[in-house]
Amino acid sequence: MRIMCVMLALMAIAAMVHAAEKTGEPAKAAGVKIVILGDSTVADYATTSTTRGWGQMIGEGFLPNVTIVNLAANGRSAKSFIKEKR
């Protein structure tokens, strides 16, 4: 359920960015940064690995002015990131 909420939020952000690009509003120049926290299902893996986290792939679905910062780590969760003050 949490992943579904996160995905819906990201799609909403993407829609807003796309609308801003069409209208030429300042959001186009400013860009958008999305920071992702999570565990191994979200984490980045080496390009030689057969394993991929969704955080590693999600940037492909956004416009060029959207930057994805994937801070996910194996063995960590959003809760542990807050507890560790990362």
Side-chain angles (χ1 to χ4, degrees):
M1 185 66 168
R2 289 182 199 176
I3 290 177
M4 182 65 82
C5 291
V6 169
M7 294 302 292
L8 290 173
L10 291 173
M11 285 189 279
I13 292 168
M16 289 185 291
V17 170
H18 182 68
E21 284 233 335
K22 280 188 166 184
T23 60
E25 293 178 9
K28 179 179 178 184
V32 174
K33 182 186 288 188
I34 300 172
V35 178
I36 303 172
L37 305 174
D39 60 9
S40 60
T41 63
V42 186
D44 289 338
Y45 291 88
T47 55
T48 56
S49 174
T50 57
T51 305
R52 299 283 186 270
W54 66 261
Q56 184 173 357
M57 309 299 283
I58 196 166
E60 296 174 10
F62 289 99
L63 297 171
N65 66 323
V66 178
T67 303
I68 304 295
V69 178
N70 189 355
L71 300 177
N74 294 334
R76 297 291 184 265
S77 66
K79 184 177 179 179
S80 63
F81 274 87
I82 293 168
K83 185 178 179 180
E84 296 168 4
K85 299 180 181 178
R86 294 179 83 184

